Amino acid sequence: MVGMRAAYHEALEQARLDVVRLGALAGDAIHAAIVSLEKRDTTLAARVIAGDDDVDGLRRRVEQTCIELIWKQQPVAGELRQVAAMLEIVTDLERVGDYAVEISKSSIKLSDVAIRPARVEIGRIAAIATEMLREAMRAYTERDAAVDNLYARGIEALQDEMQADSGKVRAGTIMLFVLANLERTGDRAQNVAWHTKEMLGKA
């Protein structure tokens, strides 16, 4: 029985480390996607898209471990909260990886288009969203309304640009999707922080 519990806690710790790795992968993917957009780097964008398989694979591994932990053992309350939080958090992190892929696809579409609308806002949203994600993974963060405020300003700037120059409508529309994906990244970071608080019994 002691050996079984030791193996259980070892598996639980391994799953926790995988969640941390997944957070790092997702954060790196968002950062690389924005760099590919700003530098018109289609090679980097393609790497982000290809790397999504690693994100998905790690999420599945954590989910499988959590399911086995629940099935093979009967976790006590604190352990069950930890397993439940892992299942929720890896879903949020995998979605962040998906947003990075979408931004990278937009980057490729815009690689030969000269467009400047909302560039400052996009850079700021990206910085805030990725920092929120880093902080959430350290379990210290709380919701920051700055992401939503910058998102609204970015949309307004893009709309102004598109109205002033109809030739920018297609590129501007793609940029709107980039802004939306960054805002959603901030939302997912908030979710991670909330699930962490629940896990610690501080919700």
Side-chain angles (χ1 to χ4, degrees):
M1 183 67 179
V2 174
M4 288 178 64
R5 291 301 292 174
Y8 171 81
H9 284 291
E10 183 178 337
L12 191 66
E13 176 63 11
Q14 183 58 53
R16 189 190 70 79
L17 291 173
D18 281 343
V19 172
V20 172
R21 290 189 191 99
L22 184 55
L25 280 177
D28 289 347
I30 283 288
H31 176 72
I34 292 301
V35 171
S36 77
L37 180 69
E38 292 177 339
K39 296 188 175 181
R40 302 294 194 266
D41 188 338
T42 56
T43 301
L44 181 57
R47 280 209 301 271
V48 173
I49 295 168
D52 193 50
D53 288 344
D54 293 334
V55 171
D56 292 344
L58 197 50
R59 186 215 76 204
R60 285 193 296 269
R61 189 165 83 185
V62 172
E63 287 179 341
Q64 183 62 34
T65 300
C66 288
I67 290 168
E68 289 177 359
L69 288 171
I70 294 171
W71 179 58
K72 292 180 179 178
Q73 302 274 347
Q74 293 188 341
V76 297
E79 293 168 348
L80 187 58
R81 281 200 305 270
Q82 188 173 354
V83 172
M86 286 180 190
L87 287 168
E88 296 286 357
I89 289 170
V90 294
T91 298
D92 286 312
L93 294 176
E94 192 244 356
R95 291 299 294 141
V96 171
D98 290 342
Y99 303 148
V101 168
E102 292 305 314
I103 292 170
S104 296
K105 289 178 179 177
S106 295
S107 173
I108 291 170
K109 291 176 184 176
L110 292 167
S111 61
D112 58 351
V113 178
I115 183 170
R116 61 180 179 81
R119 181 165 181 173
V120 173
E121 281 74 13
I122 285 175
R124 287 178 181 167
I125 293 173
I128 291 171
T130 53
E131 181 60 23
M132 283 177 69
L133 187 58
R134 281 194 296 269
E135 289 297 317
M137 291 308 298
R138 290 195 292 264
Y140 297 136
T141 193
E142 291 185 5
R143 179 62 167 163
D144 189 341
V147 170
D148 292 330
N149 295 336
L150 284 167
Y151 175 61
R153 279 171 45 193
I155 288 177
E156 185 178 350
L158 280 167
Q159 288 173 336
D160 289 345
E161 288 282 346
M162 288 187 286
Q163 288 172 359
D165 184 353
S166 60
K168 292 180 179 176
V169 170
R170 176 181 169 276
T173 301
I174 294 171
M175 281 290 197
L176 286 173
F177 284 112
V178 172
L179 285 167
N181 281 310
L182 286 171
E183 191 213 16
R184 290 171 190 148
T185 298
D187 290 340
R188 295 289 173 173
Q190 180 192 12
N191 289 350
V192 170
W194 174 253
H195 294 312
T196 301
K197 288 178 182 178
E198 284 188 316
M199 178 186 72
L200 297 173
K202 295 180 180 180

